[in-house]
Amino acid sequence: MISRETRPRIAAKARLRYDRKAERTMLLYPEKGMVLNPTAAEIAKLCTGEHSVGAIVDQLASKYAKEATTIEREVMDFLSALAERGLLQEAA
């Protein structure tokens, strides 16, 4: 279960890669890949295990000058989708 205190990190089997030719960020994992929109890429880049979900939300809320509750819902939805695919781990 992902909460504000969770410190997410991208699973060891996955990696972020920026495709310069197509100018897009992808999350690559065995036999598959996921094209990320700019916001999703930014969230994924912050999933290093160093930041809590709350810190990620606060950082994005201040950067985009949006309500934290709106951003939190979007971040939680994205992280939940990654977790369901086994692409997200909780840092120890």
Side-chain angles (χ1 to χ4, degrees), residues 10-18 26-34 36 87:
I10 300 298
K13 69 179 180 180
R15 67 174 190 242
L16 284 173
R17 171 159 283 191
Y18 183 73
M26 298 185 69
L27 183 61
L28 303 175
Y29 50 103
E31 306 297 323
K32 298 184 182 184
M34 180 186 307
L36 302 178
L87 300 175

Side-chain angles (χ1 to χ4, degrees), residues 2-90:
I2 298 172
S3 70
R4 281 188 63 85
E5 291 76 36
T6 302
R7 291 183 346 193
R9 68 181 174 95
I10 300 298
K13 69 179 180 180
R15 67 174 190 242
L16 284 173
R17 171 159 283 191
Y18 183 73
D19 182 344
R20 288 181 219 157
K21 185 176 180 182
E23 296 183 356
R24 62 185 181 187
T25 302
M26 298 185 69
L27 183 61
L28 303 175
Y29 50 103
E31 306 297 323
K32 298 184 182 184
M34 180 186 307
V35 177
L36 302 178
N37 67 35
T39 307
E42 192 165 357
I43 295 167
K45 288 175 189 173
L46 293 171
C47 291
T48 61
E50 297 173 20
H51 309 285
S52 68
V53 172
I56 292 170
V57 168
D58 293 343
Q59 187 172 343
L60 294 174
S62 104
K63 179 175 183 174
Y64 293 107
K66 281 186 144 185
E67 273 190 48
T69 54
T70 302
I71 289 180
E72 182 173 353
R73 185 176 53 248
E74 293 171 1
V75 168
M76 293 295 238
D77 288 347
F78 176 65
L79 295 179
S80 293
L82 291 182
E84 286 174 12
R85 294 179 177 181
L87 300 175
L88 197 68
Q89 298 174 332
E90 187 172 343

